[in-house]
Amino acid sequence: MPHRAPGAPGHKANYLSGKVIKYYRPRGSAEIRHLIDNGFQAFNAGRLSEACQIYTEKMLTPENDTTVGLTIAGALTPAGLGGCIIEMMERGLVDFVISTGANLYHDLHYALNFSLHRGSPFLDDVELYEEGIIRIYDVLFPATVLLETDSYIRDFLVRSKIEGAMSTSEFHYRLGLDLLERNPGCEEYSVVAQAARAGVPIYTSSPGDSSIGMNIAYHELMNGGTLMIDPNKDVNEVCAIILAAKKNGCIILGGGSPKNFYLQGQPTLWEVYGIPKGGNDYFIQFTTDQVVWGGLSGATPAEAVSWGKVNPGGLPDTVVTYVDSTIGFPLFCEYAVGATHNRRPRKELVHKRDAMISDLLRQAKAAGDEKPITSEPPEVDRHR
Amino acid sequence: MPHRAPGAPGHKANYLSGKVIKYYRPRGSAEIRHLIDNGFQAFNAGRLSEACQIYTEKMLTPENDTTVGLTIAGALTPAGLGGCIIEMMERGLVDFVISTGANLYHDLHYALNFSLHRGSPFLDDVELYEEGIIRIYDVLFPATVLLETDSYIRDFLVRSKIEGAMSTSEFHYRLGLDLLERNPGCEEYSVVAQAARAGVPIYTSSPGDSSIGMNIAYHELMNGGTLMIDPNKDVNEVCAIILAAKKNGCIILGGGSPKNFYLQGQPTLWEVYGIPKGGNDYFIQFTTDQVVWGGLSGATPAEAVSWGKVNPGGLPDTVVTYVDSTIGFPLFCEYAVGATHNRRPRKELVHKRDAMISDLLRQAKAAGDEKPITSEPPEVDRHR
Amino acid sequence: MPHRAPGAPGHKANYLSGKVIKYYRPRGSAEIRHLIDNGFQAFNAGRLSEACQIYTEKMLTPENDTTVGLTIAGALTPAGLGGCIIEMMERGLVDFVISTGANLYHDLHYALNFSLHRGSPFLDDVELYEEGIIRIYDVLFPATVLLETDSYIRDFLVRSKIEGAMSTSEFHYRLGLDLLERNPGCEEYSVVAQAARAGVPIYTSSPGDSSIGMNIAYHELMNGGTLMIDPNKDVNEVCAIILAAKKNGCIILGGGSPKNFYLQGQPTLWEVYGIPKGGNDYFIQFTTDQVVWGGLSGATPAEAVSWGKVNPGGLPDTVVTYVDSTIGFPLFCEYAVGATHNRRPRKELVHKRDAMISDLLRQAKAAGDEKPITSEPPEVDRHR
Amino acid sequence: MPHRAPGAPGHKANYLSGKVIKYYRPRGSAEIRHLIDNGFQAFNAGRLSEACQIYTEKMLTPENDTTVGLTIAGALTPAGLGGCIIEMMERGLVDFVISTGANLYHDLHYALNFSLHRGSPFLDDVELYEEGIIRIYDVLFPATVLLETDSYIRDFLVRSKIEGAMSTSEFHYRLGLDLLERNPGCEEYSVVAQAARAGVPIYTSSPGDSSIGMNIAYHELMNGGTLMIDPNKDVNEVCAIILAAKKNGCIILGGGSPKNFYLQGQPTLWEVYGIPKGGNDYFIQFTTDQVVWGGLSGATPAEAVSWGKVNPGGLPDTVVTYVDSTIGFPLFCEYAVGATHNRRPRKELVHKRDAMISDLLRQAKAAGDEKPITSEPPEVDRHR
């Protein structure tokens, strides 16, 4: 078998004949709200209905002023879900985002006006490889879209003279500003661009783990670039955002490392910084993973209580809906956009990161001056 | 509800009355091999049998000299699976590891001789929280184990004067050396320690995403430490390992970001560095995620072909076994330890990273001098 | 532990304070159709969209005149999905039904005007047992609802003097007529009643496997009743319906024995009766089971091809949507009710069963007169 | 597309080149017991270990004298699991069986010495159809095996002059005796034959729902046969077995209608017959279905408590292991066969059915003479 890259010339026409995937924007449909309120009564339909109620009647009410974190795992931007995220950020309904790198990388295709197509999950992948077609489950596009997007990223890295260690939120913010500048209007078609416009920080828990990270690594090795993602800054910023919030609540799409990254904010506060700030007040998850497989993606809000990740008093305000996010999230967003509190003043946290970090530092130092939590000889049992 | 940390004093006796979890070491049982060969004939039992055969009869044969990457997601060290990983590394059957941070963090409990206990997934988490008991599905231990382990990490960070930007493999290597020095013999009880001894590099795809990362972040904020994980180095090292291999093969436990991080090695080569090195020759996964949910954890080897992640000619040598790793992996390791090629010279890749990176740089430069892959005007279609 | 029935007196007020579950009726919402057409583009949302198109643009077009079988597994009537089924039968969009007995039994609660309530899946079942509350996942109702419904069934068995061996379709038809007579208007609240009114035969693949079957068994043992469900009649009637159809198509909710019972119709024709009638032309399934677990519920249309259950040429017109039926089916019904061909002349198959059976007999005899399929010495290999 | 049966002549050699599937017999391996006791410590491995302990240390101890019901769903005999079931019945470790018809039908292939082959789930089903190869997930065999097995069944129906209404246990018993007579020694290769020899009644919850039922239906329609499965008899026999037991316990493989049929025994007693006999004392399930999908297959022992299906005091003695039965059940059987109480006097319930039914009738009549449970005016709320 010849060792080579996909992307060889070929007659791709057939594979790319499916409809172009667009970023669907939720409109607040009253009929969808009617269905959710009256037809979604039990089982996961019931959970989806509960999630809509917790979000619109508790998290988004002005008196609670909840800081809403959205975590994204699974290939949602390739599936066209970016429009939901854009709408929510634009309306101030999501305050910060933790995403896999892949979702942000594939969002750039939309920003750069490349097309992804509806396809099928049942194709012959060896043939796709021969034809230079990339497949994400049932989404298809030519390998050149990858190469062009990579080219844009590497060009941005060189052009912007971006240097030094920084958080992913800073990197994504600068990338978003560049998109806004070079592709005016693209904030309607790009999560990264809209986030920059709306002041929503975007974090990536596994920064090397996508084509964005791959291209930054290239830049360091080949160009001697000094740009480096500093995960410490991400940990501390997310921690500081949670500490600064009046109430904390999350919308978790999928699970994976973004879920873990979000949820570890509270343990970081008490376990590492010694700051007695309790866990999440609200917890909404859409997933198809299961608690019995024992992984974090499927772990329930209840399990998170023992870690101090979820406020023990808050279990009634937590819900897991077992449904593919591509079905559940658009329904949820339609409901939210049609709700009473469907627009909030944007927190624009991206501009408040330094202040929040300072406050974290101040509180951590104050906590450290008190009798430390581990001063007593530990009564820990041993296994050998 | 009072906002505070778990860990308050209480009568924990009951919750921790379950057996202490030990690192079980596979012994190469002939009876287990008999069952796998003769009783595991179809469905996922058949797949498990195939995985055992691909590993022992193809990947491990001397003529193939496969570089074996092991990726770890899901709470496997808390469940006592570390002994399997230790055995495999010690025997040279695994050449490098990509793990979630949590598995490495919880491995430290074993290294430091703290006890985790068998429990139940059906406990009252509010009560556990009150009692200061941490629950990982059905594994229980006191919150003090976390605090003591954190304390060890922070002490190591200060004591070792470890500074600057580094890969996770370097950080874990140094941590492992410290464990070996301070807890002689702990390489039998700790994956991190054994990896350091056996020269097996351990990467973490989401470096801020565990208590290890949380404590490094603390060190930066509170102590002004300059230690920083540089994901670029991880990307390039893994890429260089794959490039240097005669054949590549993986054992993927679970999925998640470690799976993605491993599999992106090949696309990094062709897509970013322009080096025409093909995909994986062998692919073994144990997972309970499903292809139809569309995420990377459940994506099949076939889908990876279109990305150049799996060699198109290699599909017969790929297998996914749908089973909890806590059941499938010990059976698989018993089989391997009892096989003909159950010991190989260790590659000790941790000591060859610089040389491999140099080679990556050299080949990437050579590739860049050729006609670049994107020189022709791209024929990419647009969605607006 | 005292051995006794649940149902002891107690203060049930709390558990039954949730909203009463109603049979939601789909209205053909244009806004839901817009979302499905434009927002459900990929992954399972894309599959749901495809299912809607196959149903409304192929199965329901007059020229295809597809005989539509609906199979029902999972507790859908307790969850309030009966209204969707009623609407579909009333509009002639579903021609026959194969259901678990439980769905029909719990449908009787609605017919008899008893209330089921929205609840939670996280209740203390020992306490529920003490309180005499029955739980179906998150649906709650008092045990007296069971006892009253049983009482109605036993009363019907005695009162109607129903005797002898019969198909489940006949039994359900007579039960439905009784409901219509005694509870005028209940066809709006009961699948069994509406089916009798609309001439839709309802089959149960496991006739002893519900409280209906339990009460018939009681009637035989205690009253010496001769009523007996004859599964042979069910097998032959379903077979005859499929044989009589111009085209066959199914909507499978869940899977389980109803799915198997439906799909075995074609193999019965060729394998047992020797009639060369091919498999299904259209196949739509909503399920959360997975192909990799190897059971029939998760088996794909492709696997059914090798059995002659699905027409080999029809694979493009098959789709499996991996979603909880409580979410997927109401969306699907909204789409169908809003479509062009949203009403068809009802086939009223319940009144044509005898004629169709006669035709099956005639064709089977004709087929038997030809050279039998197994006349040649079989070339079957042996395992011992 | 031509409408015809699969089975056309062709060159099947390739598809059937995989190893012949044999009925593997567990041997009580000490090494497997060591792994389960010491290596299977947490998550589903821990659950599997618990299941082994509940079975061998509680259910099988002489003082408990548990009546053990085994329910079988999923294609386990095609996968070669029949040997485990044979071993358990022969040792008196399983007292009665409830199975899908498909498992019993495919068991006949082994009894009749036809071969099934190991294959792959990734074949082209249209090609298989053309070649006349039947696929059950990854098990392959020629369509002639179906035709020959059908031919045997129809021949048996004619030859044996079996007539009238009977329970499935009676039908399977007579079928087993016929196999024993015509294929001496086949009790080592056939569950149906061994069950007849060992006096283990086998029930099928959906009697029309397999090729056995299809052929009985043929016999009625074409030959005017009067053989008819009477589900009433099955309901009452299973009910009587449970009533007669000192303690009740089950091993549930998969779920589906066999699980429901087993579990409804207790509610039949209290809800229908008014006999205050409590629920199961022990409950072991191997499944990959999930509670959150809301179906009966995935329903937990806890949910069954509210229905009186599981003894409220017995929850500690219930366990669900989430694993493919093809992996979990052989491990479980190896453990049991190697345990202290690995052989019990066989209950031979097939010969005691009449006596047990008489006792059920007697107790039901006695219960009916007491103040009936529904005499008070029901306080049931209404939804309209």
Side-chain angles (χ1 to χ4, degrees):
Chain A
M1 195 69 205
H3 277 173
R4 59 164 188 74
H11 42 94
K12 299 154 197 175
N14 265 350
Y15 285 121
L16 301 180
S17 61
K19 270 191 181 176
V20 169
I21 293 176
K22 306 253 177 150
Y23 268 3
Y24 173 86
R25 293 287 278 271
R27 305 166 164 191
S29 157
E31 292 173 11
I32 292 174
R33 287 175 57 86
H34 175 81
L35 171 63
I36 292 173
D37 282 335
N38 298 287
F40 284 2
Q41 305 174 80
F43 295 77
N44 284 298
R47 294 300 87 65
L48 178 50
S49 178
E50 283 174 27
C52 291
Q53 284 164 28
I54 290 172
Y55 189 48
T56 59
E57 292 172 21
K58 295 188 174 175
M59 289 167 72
L60 295 183
T61 52
E63 62 271 27
N64 284 329
D65 191 25
T66 309
T67 296
V68 178
L70 172 72
T71 81
I72 309 171
L76 300 191
T77 56
L81 275 279
C84 290
I85 301 165
I86 288 172
E87 188 76 32
M88 303 297 260
M89 293 191 302
E90 197 277 331
R91 289 172 172 274
L93 306 182
V94 160
D95 299 308
F96 68 107
V97 169
I98 303 173
S99 174
T100 60
N103 273 301
L104 305 176
Y105 173 70
H106 294 303
D107 175 73
L108 299 183
H109 308 329
Y110 294 85
L112 300 172
N113 200 12
F114 300 138
S115 295
L116 282 61
H117 292 263
R118 299 191 192 190
S120 158
F122 304 116
L123 303 174
D124 180 327
D125 287 286
V126 174
E127 209 172 291
L128 288 175
Y129 173 84
E130 296 296 328
E131 296 290 335
I133 303 287
I134 299 291
R135 177 168 80 85
I136 303 176
Y137 194 56
D138 61 350
V139 176
L140 303 175
F141 52 93
T144 42
V145 167
L146 299 183
L147 298 173
E148 289 299 311
T149 305
D150 292 0
S151 176
Y152 163 76
I153 297 170
R154 286 201 299 267
D155 186 51
F156 162 71
L157 293 175
V158 170
R159 187 166 28 83
S160 67
K161 300 195 172 52
I162 189 170
E163 295 289 347
M166 64 180 62
S167 64
T168 56
S169 65
E170 181 64 20
F171 176 75
H172 294 138
Y173 180 56
R174 296 207 200 169
L175 185 63
L177 292 181
D178 188 74
L179 290 170
L180 289 171
E181 188 189 322
R182 296 172 72 87
N183 301 278
C186 77
E187 68 272 19
E188 302 297 321
Y189 305 99
S190 164
V191 171
V192 174
Q194 178 65 244
R197 195 186 76 90
V200 173
I202 301 181
Y203 296 92
T204 297
S205 49
S206 47
D209 188 29
S210 80
S211 294
I212 294 176
M214 283 149 57
N215 282 294
I216 301 177
Y218 171 98
H219 186 60
E220 179 177 293
L221 186 68
M222 300 292 282
N223 303 339
T226 65
L227 170 63
M228 190 186 305
I229 297 302
D230 179 3
N232 297 334
K233 292 194 168 48
D234 281 18
V235 170
N236 287 328
E237 285 186 13
V238 168
C239 204
I241 289 172
I242 289 167
L243 178 61
K246 184 175 171 194
K247 286 187 179 250
N248 283 291
C250 55
I251 303 166
I252 294 181
L253 303 181
S257 73
K259 176 183 177 182
N260 192 60
F261 200 78
Y262 176 82
L263 285 181
Q264 79 178 10
Q266 271 92 353
T268 307
L269 286 172
W270 71 258
E271 178 189 332
V272 176
Y273 286 111
I275 302 172
K277 168 89 176 186
N280 268 275
D281 301 286
Y282 308 108
F283 178 107
I284 291 168
Q285 184 175 9
F286 296 86
T287 193
T288 53
D289 199 0
Q290 299 295 330
V291 65
V292 302
W293 303 129
L296 196 270
S297 295
T300 59
E303 184 170 337
V305 165
S306 85
W307 290 81
K309 293 171 178 176
V310 166
N311 192 324
L315 276 178
D317 294 333
T318 65
V319 66
V320 182
T321 306
Y322 294 91
V323 67
D324 192 325
S325 297
T326 59
I327 293 174
F329 192 55
L331 290 167
F332 177 83
C333 290
E334 286 284 355
Y335 195 96
V337 170
T340 309
H341 305 292
N342 64 355
R343 197 176 281 282
R344 300 194 305 178
R346 293 201 289 258
K347 292 202 167 59
E348 309 225 332
L349 297 176
V350 90
H351 306 303
K352 300 175 183 164
R353 290 172 296 157
D354 287 348
M356 292 186 295
I357 286 283
S358 299
D359 199 51
L360 168 62
L361 182 59
R362 193 184 50 72
Q363 290 199 41
K365 283 191 170 153
D369 292 343
E370 297 176 30
K371 194 165 176 300
I373 207 161
T374 58
S375 63
E376 301 146 54
E379 25 150 353
V380 180
D381 65 339
R382 310 279 165 166
H383 64 93
R384 59 178 188 270
Chain B
M1 195 68 207
H3 277 174
R4 60 163 185 74
H11 42 93
K12 299 155 197 176
N14 265 351
Y15 285 121
L16 301 179
S17 61
K19 271 191 181 177
V20 169
I21 292 175
K22 304 254 177 148
Y23 268 3
Y24 173 86
R25 293 286 278 270
R27 304 165 165 193
S29 158
E31 293 174 10
I32 292 173
R33 287 175 57 85
H34 175 82
L35 171 64
I36 292 173
D37 281 335
N38 299 287
F40 283 4
Q41 305 173 82
F43 294 78
N44 285 297
R47 293 299 88 64
L48 179 51
S49 179
E50 282 174 28
C52 291
Q53 284 164 30
I54 290 172
Y55 189 47
T56 60
E57 292 171 22
K58 295 188 174 175
M59 289 168 73
L60 295 183
T61 52
E63 63 271 26
N64 284 328
D65 191 25
T66 309
T67 296
V68 179
L70 172 73
T71 81
I72 310 171
L76 300 191
T77 56
L81 275 280
C84 289
I85 300 164
I86 289 171
E87 188 75 33
M88 303 296 262
M89 293 191 301
E90 198 276 333
R91 289 173 171 273
L93 305 182
V94 160
D95 298 310
F96 68 107
V97 169
I98 303 174
S99 174
T100 60
N103 273 301
L104 306 175
Y105 173 70
H106 294 302
D107 175 74
L108 299 182
H109 309 328
Y110 294 84
L112 300 171
N113 201 11
F114 301 138
S115 296
L116 282 61
H117 293 263
R118 299 191 193 189
S120 159
F122 305 115
L123 304 173
D124 179 328
D125 286 285
V126 175
E127 208 172 293
L128 287 175
Y129 173 83
E130 296 296 329
E131 296 290 336
I133 303 287
I134 298 291
R135 176 168 80 85
I136 303 176
Y137 194 56
D138 62 349
V139 175
L140 303 174
F141 52 93
T144 43
V145 167
L146 299 183
L147 298 173
E148 289 298 312
T149 304
D150 291 0
S151 176
Y152 163 76
I153 296 169
R154 287 201 298 266
D155 185 50
F156 162 72
L157 294 174
V158 171
R159 188 166 27 83
S160 68
K161 301 195 172 52
I162 190 171
E163 295 289 348
M166 64 181 62
S167 65
T168 56
S169 65
E170 181 64 20
F171 176 75
H172 294 137
Y173 179 57
R174 296 207 198 169
L175 186 63
L177 291 180
D178 188 75
L179 290 170
L180 289 170
E181 189 189 322
R182 297 173 73 89
N183 300 277
C186 77
E187 68 272 20
E188 301 297 320
Y189 305 99
S190 163
V191 171
V192 174
Q194 178 65 245
R197 197 188 73 90
V200 173
I202 300 181
Y203 297 92
T204 296
S205 48
S206 47
D209 187 30
S210 80
S211 294
I212 294 176
M214 282 149 56
N215 282 293
I216 300 177
Y218 170 99
H219 186 60
E220 179 176 293
L221 186 68
M222 300 293 281
N223 304 340
T226 65
L227 170 64
M228 190 186 305
I229 297 300
D230 179 3
N232 296 334
K233 292 194 167 49
D234 281 19
V235 170
N236 287 327
E237 285 186 14
V238 168
C239 204
I241 289 173
I242 288 169
L243 179 60
K246 184 174 170 195
K247 286 187 178 250
N248 283 291
C250 55
I251 304 165
I252 294 181
L253 303 181
S257 73
K259 176 183 177 181
N260 191 61
F261 200 76
Y262 176 82
L263 285 181
Q264 78 178 12
Q266 271 92 355
T268 307
L269 286 173
W270 70 259
E271 177 188 333
V272 176
Y273 285 111
I275 301 172
K277 168 89 177 186
N280 268 274
D281 301 287
Y282 308 108
F283 178 106
I284 291 169
Q285 184 175 9
F286 296 86
T287 192
T288 53
D289 199 359
Q290 300 294 330
V291 65
V292 302
W293 303 129
L296 196 270
S297 295
T300 59
E303 183 171 338
V305 166
S306 84
W307 290 80
K309 293 171 178 177
V310 166
N311 192 323
L315 276 178
D317 294 333
T318 65
V319 65
V320 182
T321 307
Y322 294 91
V323 67
D324 191 325
S325 297
T326 60
I327 292 173
F329 192 55
L331 290 167
F332 177 82
C333 291
E334 286 285 354
Y335 195 95
V337 170
T340 309
H341 305 292
N342 63 356
R343 197 175 283 281
R344 299 194 305 176
R346 294 201 289 257
K347 292 203 168 58
E348 311 226 330
L349 296 175
V350 89
H351 306 304
K352 301 175 183 164
R353 290 172 295 158
D354 288 348
M356 292 187 296
I357 285 284
S358 300
D359 199 52
L360 168 62
L361 182 57
R362 191 184 52 72
Q363 290 200 38
K365 283 189 172 158
D369 292 343
E370 298 176 30
K371 192 164 177 298
I373 206 157
T374 58
S375 63
E376 302 146 54
E379 27 151 351
V380 180
D381 64 341
R382 310 278 166 168
H383 65 93
R384 61 178 186 270
Chain C
M1 195 71 206
H3 278 172
R4 60 165 186 75
H11 42 93
K12 298 155 198 175
N14 266 350
Y15 285 120
L16 301 179
S17 61
K19 271 190 179 177
V20 169
I21 293 174
K22 306 254 175 144
Y23 267 2
Y24 173 86
R25 292 287 278 270
R27 306 166 165 192
S29 158
E31 292 174 11
I32 291 173
R33 287 175 58 86
H34 174 81
L35 171 64
I36 292 173
D37 282 335
N38 298 286
F40 284 2
Q41 305 174 81
F43 295 78
N44 284 298
R47 294 299 86 64
L48 179 50
S49 178
E50 282 174 27
C52 291
Q53 285 163 28
I54 290 172
Y55 189 48
T56 60
E57 293 171 22
K58 296 188 174 176
M59 290 168 73
L60 295 182
T61 52
E63 64 271 27
N64 284 329
D65 191 25
T66 309
T67 297
V68 179
L70 172 72
T71 81
I72 309 171
L76 300 192
T77 56
L81 276 278
C84 290
I85 301 164
I86 288 171
E87 187 75 33
M88 303 296 262
M89 294 190 302
E90 198 276 334
R91 288 173 172 272
L93 306 182
V94 160
D95 299 308
F96 69 108
V97 169
I98 303 173
S99 174
T100 60
N103 273 301
L104 305 175
Y105 173 70
H106 294 303
D107 176 73
L108 299 182
H109 308 328
Y110 294 84
L112 300 170
N113 200 10
F114 300 139
S115 296
L116 283 61
H117 293 264
R118 299 190 193 189
S120 158
F122 304 115
L123 303 174
D124 180 328
D125 287 285
V126 175
E127 208 173 292
L128 289 175
Y129 173 85
E130 296 295 328
E131 296 290 336
I133 304 287
I134 299 291
R135 176 168 80 84
I136 302 175
Y137 194 56
D138 61 349
V139 176
L140 303 174
F141 52 93
T144 43
V145 167
L146 299 183
L147 298 173
E148 289 299 312
T149 304
D150 292 359
S151 177
Y152 162 76
I153 297 170
R154 287 201 299 267
D155 185 51
F156 161 72
L157 294 175
V158 171
R159 188 166 27 83
S160 67
K161 300 194 173 52
I162 188 170
E163 295 290 346
M166 64 181 63
S167 64
T168 55
S169 65
E170 181 64 20
F171 176 76
H172 294 137
Y173 179 58
R174 297 209 198 165
L175 185 63
L177 292 179
D178 188 76
L179 289 171
L180 289 171
E181 189 189 323
R182 296 172 73 87
N183 301 276
C186 78
E187 68 272 20
E188 302 297 320
Y189 305 98
S190 164
V191 171
V192 174
Q194 178 66 244
R197 195 187 75 91
V200 173
I202 301 181
Y203 297 92
T204 297
S205 49
S206 48
D209 188 30
S210 80
S211 294
I212 294 176
M214 283 148 55
N215 281 294
I216 300 176
Y218 170 99
H219 186 60
E220 179 177 294
L221 187 68
M222 300 293 282
N223 303 340
T226 65
L227 170 63
M228 190 185 309
I229 296 301
D230 179 3
N232 296 335
K233 293 194 168 48
D234 281 18
V235 170
N236 287 328
E237 286 186 13
V238 168
C239 204
I241 289 172
I242 287 168
L243 179 61
K246 183 174 171 196
K247 286 187 179 251
N248 284 291
C250 55
I251 303 166
I252 294 181
L253 303 181
S257 74
K259 176 184 178 182
N260 191 60
F261 200 77
Y262 175 82
L263 285 182
Q264 79 177 11
Q266 271 92 354
T268 307
L269 287 173
W270 71 258
E271 178 189 331
V272 177
Y273 286 111
I275 302 172
K277 168 90 176 185
N280 268 274
D281 302 287
Y282 308 107
F283 179 106
I284 291 169
Q285 184 175 10
F286 296 86
T287 192
T288 53
D289 199 359
Q290 299 294 329
V291 65
V292 303
W293 304 129
L296 196 271
S297 295
T300 59
E303 183 170 338
V305 165
S306 85
W307 290 81
K309 293 171 178 176
V310 166
N311 192 325
L315 276 178
D317 294 333
T318 65
V319 65
V320 182
T321 306
Y322 294 91
V323 67
D324 191 326
S325 297
T326 59
I327 293 174
F329 192 54
L331 291 167
F332 176 83
C333 291
E334 285 285 355
Y335 194 96
V337 169
T340 309
H341 306 291
N342 63 356
R343 197 175 282 280
R344 300 193 306 176
R346 292 200 290 258
K347 293 202 166 60
E348 310 225 331
L349 297 176
V350 89
H351 307 305
K352 301 174 183 164
R353 290 172 296 157
D354 287 347
M356 292 186 295
I357 286 284
S358 299
D359 199 53
L360 168 63
L361 182 58
R362 191 184 51 72
Q363 289 199 39
K365 283 189 171 156
D369 292 342
E370 297 175 31
K371 194 164 176 299
I373 207 158
T374 58
S375 63
E376 301 146 54
E379 26 150 351
V380 181
D381 64 341
R382 310 277 165 170
H383 67 92
R384 60 178 188 272
Chain D
M1 194 70 208
H3 276 173
R4 59 164 187 75
H11 43 93
K12 299 155 195 175
N14 265 351
Y15 285 121
L16 301 179
S17 61
K19 271 190 179 177
V20 169
I21 293 175
K22 305 254 176 149
Y23 268 3
Y24 173 86
R25 293 287 277 270
R27 305 164 164 192
S29 157
E31 293 174 11
I32 291 173
R33 287 175 57 86
H34 174 82
L35 171 64
I36 291 173
D37 282 335
N38 299 286
F40 284 2
Q41 305 173 82
F43 295 77
N44 285 297
R47 294 299 86 64
L48 178 50
S49 179
E50 283 174 27
C52 291
Q53 285 163 28
I54 290 171
Y55 189 48
T56 60
E57 293 172 21
K58 295 187 174 174
M59 289 168 73
L60 296 183
T61 52
E63 63 271 28
N64 284 330
D65 191 25
T66 309
T67 296
V68 178
L70 172 72
T71 82
I72 310 172
L76 300 192
T77 56
L81 275 279
C84 289
I85 301 164
I86 289 171
E87 187 76 34
M88 303 297 261
M89 293 191 301
E90 197 278 334
R91 289 173 172 273
L93 306 182
V94 160
D95 298 308
F96 68 107
V97 168
I98 303 172
S99 174
T100 60
N103 273 301
L104 305 174
Y105 173 70
H106 294 302
D107 176 72
L108 299 182
H109 309 328
Y110 293 85
L112 300 171
N113 200 12
F114 301 138
S115 295
L116 282 61
H117 293 263
R118 298 191 193 189
S120 158
F122 304 116
L123 303 174
D124 179 328
D125 287 285
V126 174
E127 208 173 293
L128 288 175
Y129 173 83
E130 296 296 329
E131 295 290 334
I133 304 287
I134 300 290
R135 177 168 80 85
I136 304 176
Y137 194 56
D138 61 350
V139 176
L140 303 174
F141 52 92
T144 43
V145 167
L146 299 183
L147 298 173
E148 288 299 312
T149 304
D150 291 1
S151 177
Y152 163 77
I153 297 170
R154 288 200 299 265
D155 186 51
F156 161 73
L157 293 174
V158 171
R159 186 165 30 81
S160 67
K161 300 193 171 53
I162 189 170
E163 295 290 347
M166 64 181 61
S167 64
T168 55
S169 66
E170 182 63 21
F171 175 76
H172 294 138
Y173 179 58
R174 296 208 197 169
L175 185 63
L177 291 180
D178 188 75
L179 289 171
L180 289 170
E181 189 188 321
R182 297 173 73 87
N183 301 277
C186 78
E187 68 271 20
E188 302 297 321
Y189 305 98
S190 164
V191 171
V192 173
Q194 178 66 245
R197 197 187 74 91
V200 173
I202 300 182
Y203 297 92
T204 296
S205 47
S206 47
D209 187 29
S210 79
S211 294
I212 294 177
M214 282 148 57
N215 282 295
I216 300 176
Y218 170 99
H219 186 61
E220 180 177 293
L221 186 69
M222 301 292 283
N223 303 339
T226 65
L227 170 63
M228 190 186 306
I229 297 301
D230 178 3
N232 297 334
K233 293 196 168 46
D234 280 19
V235 170
N236 286 328
E237 285 187 15
V238 168
C239 205
I241 289 173
I242 288 168
L243 179 60
K246 184 173 170 196
K247 286 188 179 247
N248 284 291
C250 55
I251 303 166
I252 294 180
L253 303 182
S257 74
K259 176 183 178 181
N260 192 60
F261 200 77
Y262 176 82
L263 285 181
Q264 79 178 10
Q266 272 92 354
T268 307
L269 287 172
W270 70 258
E271 178 189 332
V272 176
Y273 285 110
I275 302 172
K277 168 89 175 185
N280 267 275
D281 301 286
Y282 308 107
F283 179 106
I284 291 169
Q285 184 175 10
F286 295 86
T287 192
T288 54
D289 198 0
Q290 299 295 330
V291 66
V292 301
W293 304 130
L296 196 271
S297 295
T300 59
E303 183 170 339
V305 165
S306 84
W307 289 81
K309 294 172 178 176
V310 167
N311 191 323
L315 276 178
D317 294 333
T318 65
V319 67
V320 182
T321 306
Y322 295 91
V323 68
D324 191 325
S325 297
T326 59
I327 293 174
F329 192 54
L331 290 167
F332 177 83
C333 291
E334 286 284 353
Y335 195 95
V337 170
T340 308
H341 306 291
N342 63 356
R343 197 175 283 282
R344 299 194 307 176
R346 292 201 289 259
K347 293 202 166 61
E348 310 224 331
L349 297 176
V350 90
H351 306 304
K352 301 175 183 164
R353 290 173 297 158
D354 287 348
M356 292 186 296
I357 285 285
S358 300
D359 200 52
L360 168 62
L361 183 58
R362 191 185 50 72
Q363 289 201 39
K365 283 189 170 155
D369 292 343
E370 296 176 31
K371 192 165 178 299
I373 208 160
T374 58
S375 63
E376 302 145 53
E379 27 151 350
V380 181
D381 63 340
R382 310 279 165 167
H383 65 93
R384 59 177 188 270

